[in-house]
Amino acid sequence: MERSEHAPFVDRMTRVRARMVELGIDVALLSVGADLPWLTGYEAMPLERLTMLVLPREGEAVLVVPRLEAPRVVERPDAFTIVPWNETDDPVRLVARLCHEAMPGGGPATAAIGDRTWGRFVLELQQALPHTRFSAANEVVGPLRRIKDPVEVEALRAAAHAVDAIVEEMRDRPFAGRTEADVSREFARRILEHGHHVVNFAIVASGPNGASPHHEASERVIEQGEAVVCDFGGTMHGYCSDITRMFVVGRPPDGWADAYEVLTAAQEAGVQAARAGVPCETVDAAARAVIAQHGYGEFFIHRTGHGIGLEAHEDPYMVQGNQLVVAPGHAFSIEPGIYVPGRWGMRLEDIVVATPDGPDRLNVAAREPVIVT
Amino acid sequence: MERSEHAPFVDRMTRVRARMVELGIDVALLSVGADLPWLTGYEAMPLERLTMLVLPREGEAVLVVPRLEAPRVVERPDAFTIVPWNETDDPVRLVARLCHEAMPGGGPATAAIGDRTWGRFVLELQQALPHTRFSAANEVVGPLRRIKDPVEVEALRAAAHAVDAIVEEMRDRPFAGRTEADVSREFARRILEHGHHVVNFAIVASGPNGASPHHEASERVIEQGEAVVCDFGGTMHGYCSDITRMFVVGRPPDGWADAYEVLTAAQEAGVQAARAGVPCETVDAAARAVIAQHGYGEFFIHRTGHGIGLEAHEDPYMVQGNQLVVAPGHAFSIEPGIYVPGRWGMRLEDIVVATPDGPDRLNVAAREPVIVT
């Protein structure tokens, strides 16, 4: 039991080190963000006290952690050791010292630093390691993290089914007369009730607000005859959910239903295009072509999708210009939208995993607009 | 109305620019984190699409924002203009171009970059602006942000009173037989019910878990005769709350009550020491001395407090070695603790604002342990 529980971390670390050798990276420095939990099972607190894994391409990996957070860490002696620092220590100097110890004779020539590491720590590390060239750890870890193993796919599926269930529950809930913020809080509450540990977002964008893709739920009161974009998700056992469904209060506004038919076809085209061997930009183009053919091209103002896993948004991105080839294990959203400023908006989103047998759509909630009162 | 609403942002920007001139900083580049909302009223989404205020020491300030998030921004034409970027644009190149336009003849020699800016953007900006020396924006903005104006103090007080009310409510709630995670979820729910928009944390650490200051609420069942550290807070209209109170199920364990008396005296000493003109480390020392005098010194394993405002933790820190002098308007926690590994822990925390008339304790909840069933 203990052995199998530890295995993914040791195996992942071995694969990261192989890539470091390949790319000529001497040390990886990982802090807040998803690389650290993917490699160690521990997520750094996003606060001002530095937590950082010092992972040289050979030799011991060391997790530098504030002493008062050290009891939170589940130790994995086969993967890394812990060095706690005290309140009056300088953790950046400690990391620099560990880098020099790992690379005797001048320290690391190259270091890969986690994407979300705070800028202030990047600057301080650059000062403490003046002869080291820094690059983005995403180049090292990203290509490994974006291939989900079967356990990860099932974690994503469980999170997807949890938000699917919320779509069903909301079918019987009133929308008219409530504020967007009130409905958003209800989504947030249900996200937690359905087993997520964190709410990542609960966009509720009604009527003309629907034309703002990342609208923040406001005090606007939802009215009869309006379409409401509901885009919500959270994190469940480390993995993220993300779904968008349209809720319509009574009858939709003029022209809306026709556009929604186009949107449904575009989303289906995106899902069907999401096959191993196809460049990501082709998936984007497949959804976009359907919308453009029907004259709504100018109203689809964002990319078709984003990768998902430990992060709500991560590689690979389904966007024009991304020639990365979709591979089995890639997990991402397919979420085209049509946004008519001042009038209404719509988006339809599912999470899809590419498999050797074609796209595996994780969300099972009906894709028709949900008619509510 | 409109005028007065805009005034703080224009005034703050003017003061930031004056400091930039003083420190020889050509441009400030602010992204995720609290500097941006403090200066513009807009908080960047913590996602992979770059939002960044380009603030040169003279001339127009420009907020670079993803086009699909642009409708979220409340424009302040007297303070900054907006430049949205499209999905296939390169926002780092856009920021670099704006830097060059603001500083014709070679671009900025120096740039101050926000503390929490993602590492990957720092590295990309360094590549795009190879002749620019980067430093931490906290040196520019921190000294201004840490002096809270009266409106900010009242926002902190409102948030403090909201969590005070939760302490009172929890007095009548059962603890024994429930898991830490269950009680933590209840705190989280009440934080939102009391007007916070975000839950920042809800630490519930029972029995021996109390000895881990940043313990993560677990499936451990709380039992009779245990002390429970409850440290919780959220963000309300942008400003943070943070309180710790001890809950005791029935009678506390042997030795606990004596130590709690010491802790209460130590916290009071810290609060009374928190006066304008005194170095921060003196505030820490005042609380620490009381604990040490009674033989618990080795069990107080963290600093006495942290600043609070738009961020849950920010300048100034009450920690040994910090010679920064407390000034009127500084807002910070006073939260000594005693942690006996394997047995129990305790912490007592209030938010205090330094004023010309002495410390103003924002929290009003009783400081005695709350006896629960």
Side-chain angles (χ1 to χ4, degrees):
Chain A
M1 182 62 196
E2 180 127 314
R3 213 175 163 68
S4 77
E5 202 191 309
H6 285 194
F9 301 114
V10 173
D11 171 57
R12 288 169 182 175
M13 222 170 253
T14 304
R15 287 188 289 139
V16 165
R17 285 174 152 167
R19 270 191 68 80
M20 287 167 67
V21 170
E22 200 179 307
L23 298 172
I25 302 289
D26 289 337
V27 65
L29 302 173
L30 304 175
S31 181
V32 289
D35 293 337
L36 183 61
W38 185 77
L39 270 172
T40 66
Y42 182 69
E43 189 171 357
M45 295 191 81
L47 291 172
E48 73 289 355
R49 292 183 182 96
L50 182 67
T51 298
M52 185 162 268
L53 181 73
V54 179
L55 174 63
R57 60 183 181 181
E58 278 173 34
E60 200 166 45
V62 178
L63 184 67
V64 169
V65 65
R67 185 172 296 281
L68 77 165
E69 289 160 18
R72 296 168 55 95
V73 183
V74 176
E75 301 201 42
R76 315 270 179 188
D78 48 352
F80 62 91
T81 59
I82 294 179
V83 173
W85 58 272
N86 295 315
E87 292 285 66
T88 53
D89 294 343
D90 178 344
V92 168
R93 276 182 56 190
L94 175 55
V95 167
R97 184 165 63 71
L98 290 167
C99 284
H100 275 279
E101 285 173 12
M103 295 277 152
T110 49
I113 195 149
D115 274 31
R116 298 196 183 199
T117 305
W118 286 13
R120 92 177 226 213
F121 293 123
V122 175
L123 296 180
E124 289 179 23
L125 284 162
Q126 286 176 334
Q127 275 209 315
L129 294 166
H131 305 301
T132 304
R133 195 172 59 74
F134 285 76
S135 64
N138 190 45
E139 291 163 27
V140 181
V141 190
L144 302 174
R145 260 184 53 206
R146 71 179 172 240
I147 307 284
K148 271 67 182 179
D149 69 28
V151 174
E152 292 182 290
V153 171
E154 290 319 306
L156 285 167
R157 195 187 308 276
H161 288 182
V163 288
D164 288 339
I166 295 172
V167 172
E168 279 311 304
E169 289 172 2
M170 293 302 288
R171 193 175 287 281
D172 302 320
R173 300 285 300 139
F175 275 62
R178 297 173 67 186
T179 64
E180 292 175 347
D182 181 43
V183 176
S184 174
R185 278 191 295 268
E186 177 168 349
F187 274 111
R189 180 170 60 73
R190 289 178 189 269
I191 287 169
L192 294 176
E193 281 173 5
H194 278 273
H196 291 80
H197 307 285
V198 182
V199 177
N200 292 331
F201 48 85
I203 295 172
V204 174
S206 64
N209 288 345
S212 168
H214 276 184
H215 176 69
E216 192 155 6
S218 75
E219 293 304 315
R220 182 180 190 280
V221 174
I222 301 168
E223 293 185 20
Q224 271 296 328
E226 287 184 347
V228 187
V229 179
C230 296
D231 182 349
F232 55 100
T235 305
M236 187 166 163
H237 301 299
Y239 286 81
C240 295
S241 61
D242 190 354
I243 189 172
T244 308
R245 287 295 183 269
M246 293 303 310
F247 288 71
V248 174
V249 191
R251 293 171 63 88
D254 282 354
W256 192 92
D258 289 345
Y260 194 78
E261 228 174 275
V262 173
L263 182 68
T264 308
Q267 203 241 11
E268 183 64 25
V271 171
Q272 291 310 324
R275 288 167 190 279
V278 163
C280 290
E281 65 173 356
T282 304
V283 178
D284 178 78
R288 200 167 298 279
V290 175
I291 290 175
Q293 276 157 21
H294 290 83
Y296 296 101
E298 67 181 300
F299 302 121
F300 178 18
I301 57 174
H302 57 69
R303 66 191 177 205
T304 292
H306 56 80
I308 189 167
L310 292 166
E311 292 178 282
H313 290 186
E314 61 180 42
D315 276 343
Y317 293 99
M318 303 298 127
V319 61
Q320 188 194 328
N322 189 2
Q323 279 145 33
L324 177 77
V325 171
V326 174
H330 283 186
F332 44 84
S333 69
I334 298 289
E335 50 174 316
I338 299 175
Y339 309 95
V340 183
R343 293 186 57 207
W344 45 253
M346 54 175 64
R347 182 163 63 253
L348 178 61
E349 175 183 25
D350 290 311
I351 303 303
V352 172
V353 177
T355 81
D357 307 322
D360 177 6
R361 197 197 297 250
L362 302 187
N363 295 98
V364 297
R367 294 193 286 283
E368 289 75 36
V370 182
I371 310 300
V372 291
T373 55
Chain B
M1 182 62 196
E2 179 127 314
R3 217 177 158 67
S4 77
E5 202 190 310
H6 286 194
F9 301 115
V10 172
D11 171 57
R12 287 169 182 176
M13 224 171 251
T14 304
R15 288 189 288 139
V16 166
R17 284 175 153 165
R19 270 192 68 80
M20 287 168 66
V21 170
E22 200 180 308
L23 298 173
I25 302 289
D26 289 337
V27 65
L29 301 173
L30 305 175
S31 180
V32 289
D35 294 337
L36 183 61
W38 185 77
L39 272 172
T40 65
Y42 181 69
E43 189 172 356
M45 295 192 82
L47 290 171
E48 73 289 355
R49 291 183 182 97
L50 182 67
T51 298
M52 184 162 269
L53 182 73
V54 179
L55 174 63
R57 61 183 180 181
E58 278 173 35
E60 199 165 45
V62 178
L63 183 66
V64 169
V65 64
R67 184 173 296 281
L68 76 166
E69 289 160 18
R72 297 167 54 96
V73 182
V74 176
E75 301 200 43
R76 316 270 181 189
D78 48 351
F80 62 91
T81 58
I82 293 178
V83 173
W85 58 273
N86 296 313
E87 292 285 68
T88 53
D89 293 343
D90 178 344
V92 169
R93 275 181 58 188
L94 175 55
V95 168
R97 183 165 63 71
L98 290 166
C99 285
H100 275 279
E101 285 172 12
M103 294 278 150
T110 50
I113 194 150
D115 274 31
R116 299 197 181 198
T117 305
W118 286 14
R120 91 178 228 211
F121 293 123
V122 175
L123 296 179
E124 289 179 24
L125 284 162
Q126 287 176 333
Q127 274 209 313
L129 294 165
H131 306 301
T132 305
R133 196 172 58 75
F134 285 77
S135 64
N138 190 45
E139 291 163 28
V140 181
V141 190
L144 303 174
R145 259 184 53 207
R146 70 180 172 238
I147 309 284
K148 271 67 182 179
D149 68 29
V151 174
E152 291 182 291
V153 170
E154 291 319 305
L156 285 167
R157 195 187 308 277
H161 288 183
V163 289
D164 287 339
I166 296 171
V167 172
E168 279 312 303
E169 289 172 1
M170 292 302 287
R171 192 175 288 282
D172 302 320
R173 300 285 300 140
F175 275 63
R178 297 173 67 187
T179 64
E180 293 174 346
D182 183 42
V183 176
S184 173
R185 277 191 295 268
E186 178 168 349
F187 274 111
R189 180 171 59 74
R190 289 177 189 269
I191 288 169
L192 294 178
E193 282 173 4
H194 278 274
H196 291 79
H197 307 287
V198 182
V199 177
N200 292 331
F201 47 83
I203 294 172
V204 174
S206 64
N209 287 347
S212 168
H214 276 183
H215 175 68
E216 191 155 7
S218 75
E219 293 304 316
R220 183 181 189 279
V221 174
I222 301 168
E223 292 186 21
Q224 271 296 328
E226 287 183 346
V228 187
V229 180
C230 296
D231 182 350
F232 55 100
T235 305
M236 188 167 162
H237 299 300
Y239 286 82
C240 294
S241 62
D242 190 355
I243 189 171
T244 309
R245 286 296 182 270
M246 293 303 310
F247 287 72
V248 174
V249 190
R251 294 172 62 87
D254 282 354
W256 192 91
D258 289 345
Y260 194 78
E261 230 174 273
V262 173
L263 182 69
T264 308
Q267 203 242 9
E268 184 63 24
V271 171
Q272 291 310 324
R275 286 168 192 279
V278 163
C280 290
E281 66 174 355
T282 305
V283 179
D284 178 80
R288 199 168 300 279
V290 175
I291 290 175
Q293 277 157 21
H294 290 83
Y296 296 101
E298 66 181 301
F299 302 121
F300 178 18
I301 56 174
H302 56 69
R303 66 191 177 206
T304 291
H306 55 80
I308 189 167
L310 292 166
E311 292 179 282
H313 290 186
E314 62 180 43
D315 276 343
Y317 294 98
M318 303 296 127
V319 62
Q320 188 194 329
N322 188 2
Q323 280 146 33
L324 177 78
V325 171
V326 174
H330 283 185
F332 43 84
S333 69
I334 298 289
E335 51 174 314
I338 299 175
Y339 308 94
V340 183
R343 294 186 58 208
W344 45 253
M346 54 176 63
R347 181 163 64 253
L348 178 61
E349 175 182 27
D350 289 312
I351 303 304
V352 172
V353 178
T355 82
D357 306 321
D360 177 6
R361 196 196 296 252
L362 302 187
N363 295 98
V364 297
R367 295 192 287 284
E368 290 76 37
V370 182
I371 311 299
V372 290
T373 53

